[in-house]
Amino acid sequence: MKMEKLERTAAEAQLTELSGWVLNDAGSSISKTFKFANFVEAFGFMTQAALAAEKLNHHPEWFNVYSRVDVTLNTHDAGGLTELDFKLAKAMEKAAARRVV
């Protein structure tokens, strides 16, 4: 099932439901930096987020250094943001909720 690309205004509206996520200038991706107490907490977050991503069949672009995880989400097939990106962002928020410093 092909996901439809969201218009910028729709993406901005979805973004209001998420804390700390930023829309890039082109309106084609959202990103957030998660900060944890240590590497184990960061890795635990990434593991839980990876399971959610696999379930959605939608995988993040992310970068981890020790206690920090930088995440960027977009849907390459749609050429921008779709509902999937916001579903995954919400799942990541849930995974981070008990771990974030």
Side-chain angles (χ1 to χ4, degrees):
M1 177 175 148
K2 183 173 177 3
M3 295 295 294
E4 293 295 318
K5 179 180 169 183
L6 296 173
E7 296 296 326
R8 184 179 188 94
T9 54
E12 289 170 343
Q14 292 261 7
L15 204 57
T16 64
E17 299 176 24
L18 298 168
S19 178
W21 289 84
V22 177
L23 185 65
N24 74 346
D25 290 341
S28 61
S29 68
I30 55 174
S31 60
K32 181 173 180 172
T33 296
F34 291 90
K35 183 76 174 145
F36 302 94
N38 54 47
F39 177 73
V40 171
E41 291 295 321
F43 194 84
F45 160 75
M46 292 177 75
T47 301
Q48 192 173 348
L51 294 172
E54 190 64 19
K55 190 177 279 189
L56 291 170
N57 193 29
H58 189 60
H59 304 94
E61 176 183 322
W62 54 11
F63 180 77
N64 165 244
V65 174
Y66 187 62
S67 61
R68 188 185 84 228
V69 181
D70 299 319
V71 177
T72 300
L73 301 177
N74 75 352
T75 305
H76 297 285
D77 293 345
L81 290 164
T82 67
E83 294 289 334
L84 271 179
D85 298 298
F86 291 95
K87 285 181 183 178
L88 184 53
K90 288 174 184 173
M92 289 180 148
E93 288 297 318
K94 186 175 178 182
R98 69 173 190 85
R99 294 183 172 91
V100 175
V101 180

